[in-house]
Amino acid sequence: MTEESPSRPRRFAPLDPERREKDGNDGPLLKGIVFDVDGTLCEPQNYMFAEMRASLNIEKPTDILDHVYSLPASDQDAAMEKIRTIERNAMRSQKPQVGLVELMEYLDSRGIRKGICTRNFDTPVNHLLTTFLPRHTFHPIVTREFRPPKPSPAGILHIAKQWSVADNWATDDGGQSLIMVGDSIDDMTAGYQAGAATVLLVNEVNAHLATHEHTDLCVRRLDDLIPILEKGFVGQIGWREENADTRAQAEAVLEKQ
């Protein structure tokens, strides 16, 4: 975790400059958003994980990457290739999340940097970007080659550092000027420990994470973030300052389980 965790609930000033001036909002400015890939930029392909565990002859709750890295060095390449083969096959059926393009166009219009922090390897990530977001730039892109992977905050902090250098930020505040958007506990924990605000893209499988202490806010589709960012981000879920509408979104999903 960063040396000084930011106060909760997390807040950012409205991205709408007129609203920011009118309201006199003195909240911190959002400097960038980091996205997970599978289950976040594209629809979940959770069946992959069962296939990976079967190919490696392991069961839950063993972490797939932790298992591979625990193998003798001479066996790691073969094990990793089994995982990559499954991911290559799955990428052919990738489907973009609802509101994906709309959110990215909005972020570009407001000059908000976009990065990626994923446990996938680069081929399916590049396939998704070139297929569904060919006109949009994400940088840096942190993939499986970067270690340690999520739930470590290292990848998000690496992105924050790259952005601070590029933008000549006066101080390096770690991830405190960022939002991490994802769909898993690894995403929420990595963001929280980096000091970033966290947004859960909630679905029937991960709805229980809506009330997790590492989750600041949940949305049901990516473009739900647009009005939130325009008006000023305020984290609610998990910090006892729940907004009724946001809480209702999570509970609506929970009721479907």
Side-chain angles (χ1 to χ4, degrees), residues 171-232:
T171 59
D172 183 1
D173 61 0
Q176 293 186 33
S177 297
L178 313 181
I179 293 174
M180 173 69 203
V181 179
D183 71 310
S184 73
I185 185 59
D186 286 349
D187 300 324
M188 299 300 99
T189 297
Y192 174 84
Q193 292 187 342
T198 58
V199 173
L200 177 74
L201 185 60
V202 70
N203 57 47
E204 290 82 357
V205 175
N206 68 15
H208 63 286
L209 296 176
T211 54
H212 193 279
E213 64 177 348
H214 292 173
T215 302
D216 288 309
L217 191 71
C218 71
V219 295
R220 296 189 67 174
R221 44 187 286 163
L222 287 175
D223 55 355
D224 285 345
L225 269 176
I226 296 175
I228 291 171
L229 297 174
E230 275 288 276
K231 297 174 184 177

Side-chain angles (χ1 to χ4, degrees), residues 56-91:
L56 297 172
N57 196 30
I58 60 174
E59 298 180 356
K60 288 183 176 182
T62 302
D63 182 90
I64 293 168
L65 294 184
D66 285 349
H67 169 75
V68 172
Y69 295 140
S70 73
L71 296 173
S74 58
D75 296 335
Q76 289 185 19
D77 286 346
M80 196 65 79
E81 184 56 27
K82 291 180 180 179
I83 296 174
R84 288 194 289 259
T85 297
I86 292 169
E87 290 172 304
R88 288 191 197 97
N89 292 334
M91 78 182 186

Side-chain angles (χ1 to χ4, degrees), residues 9-50:
R10 297 300 315 281
R11 300 174 184 270
F12 291 107
L15 292 186
D16 177 0
E18 293 183 3
R19 189 182 189 100
R20 193 162 60 240
E21 182 177 353
K22 178 181 177 181
D23 295 349
N25 191 301
D26 60 354
L29 295 177
L30 175 66
K31 295 179 178 177
I33 300 184
V34 180
F35 294 91
D36 173 51
V37 175
D38 183 54
T40 303
L41 296 183
C42 64
E43 293 183 0
Q45 295 179 295
N46 294 329
Y47 63 87
M48 287 193 299
F49 304 123

Side-chain angles (χ1 to χ4, degrees), residues 35-45 90-97 100-101 104 116 118 120-136 138 141 222:
F35 294 91
D36 173 51
V37 175
D38 183 54
T40 303
L41 296 183
C42 64
E43 293 183 0
Q45 295 179 295
M91 78 182 186
R92 300 187 182 98
S93 59
Q94 284 175 339
K95 295 180 180 179
Q97 283 283 6
L100 173 66
V101 174
M104 301 312 156
I116 286 175
T118 177
N120 295 76
F121 84 113
D122 57 351
T123 299
V125 175
N126 291 335
H127 179 269
L128 183 142
L129 296 179
T130 57
T131 303
F132 303 117
L133 296 169
R135 298 190 302 273
H136 297 274
F138 293 77
I141 297 176
L222 287 175

Side-chain angles (χ1 to χ4, degrees), residues 225-252:
L225 269 176
I226 296 175
I228 291 171
L229 297 174
E230 275 288 276
K231 297 174 184 177
F233 180 98
V234 180
Q236 288 109 7
I237 296 297
W239 294 98
R240 294 189 174 89
E241 289 195 11
E242 295 92 343
N243 173 279
D245 292 339
T246 305
R247 173 64 69 180
Q249 289 180 353
E251 290 179 345

